[in-house]
Amino acid sequence: MSEDKDILTRYLEGELRLVNKHIPYKRRNLCELLKEPVPYIILRDGSVHVFDMEELERLKQVLGNKACDLSLPIIVEYLPSDQEGFYVVNGALEVEAVSKVLGCEGKGEHLILYRPQIIELRRKLRTTTTILIKPGGR
């Protein structure tokens, strides 16, 4: 039984790598990106992801003098569950940015979001956020 579980675990880990191939190798600083004519990053699958300049400006505006400390894209972790599942934004600056853009209460290192909020977030920050699918539970 243990060998079957190991095979299943390896298979699922491989599938998660495929599903998360849109995650960047390295995140980049907001102010650094704003200086470029075409702000971009390289994703794990080797493709190029270009940021929308209006979204970068919006994040700079909501964060003020803290903006240069923000690394992009903002990674939102999806944690599936037996029920609906939920999304988590980690990092104090990321939480501040997302909560200000969504107009919701958010303080501290973690912000839990649900599907309607994610739809709104992705509508407003489509190129500056990305969803990372994590195995169930934390």
Side-chain angles (χ1 to χ4, degrees):
M1 183 69 164
S2 177
E3 188 177 318
D4 289 342
K5 187 175 183 179
D6 290 341
I7 292 169
L8 181 59
T9 300
R10 284 195 311 264
Y11 173 76
L12 291 175
E13 287 171 352
E15 289 297 307
L16 278 175
R17 273 193 294 279
L18 286 174
V19 169
N20 289 323
K21 68 183 179 183
H22 64 282
I23 300 300
Y25 274 115
K26 181 180 173 193
R27 295 165 67 205
R28 295 189 55 205
N29 173 286
L30 173 59
C31 290
E32 178 184 308
L33 290 166
L34 282 167
K35 292 176 185 172
E36 295 186 1
V38 180
Y40 74 94
I41 55 172
I42 304 296
L43 304 178
R44 290 186 189 268
D45 66 358
S47 64
V48 174
H49 173 79
V50 177
F51 293 102
D52 182 302
M53 194 59 85
E54 288 180 22
E55 291 180 30
L56 298 176
E57 291 291 347
R58 173 185 269 167
L59 287 169
K60 183 179 179 187
Q61 178 192 7
V62 299
L63 291 175
N65 51 356
K66 297 183 226 173
C68 289
D69 295 328
L70 182 66
S71 292
L72 293 173
I74 296 171
I75 296 176
V76 181
E77 296 179 5
Y78 174 62
L79 297 150
S81 72
D82 294 341
Q83 311 304 313
E84 175 184 354
F86 58 96
Y87 301 79
V88 179
V89 176
N90 292 303
L93 198 54
E94 290 83 351
V95 167
E96 182 179 343
V98 168
S99 61
K100 284 182 176 180
V101 167
L102 291 178
C104 67
E105 187 100 12
K107 292 184 179 179
E109 290 289 321
H110 311 288
L111 177 65
I112 295 175
L113 301 171
Y114 295 94
R115 186 155 175 75
Q117 293 165 303
I118 288 298
I119 291 168
E120 183 69 10
L121 178 64
R122 295 289 289 162
R123 188 178 68 74
K124 291 180 176 181
L125 298 177
R126 183 183 54 80
T127 69
T128 52
T129 59
T130 191
I131 309 287
L132 172 70
I133 299 174
K134 300 274 283 197
R138 258 184 96 87

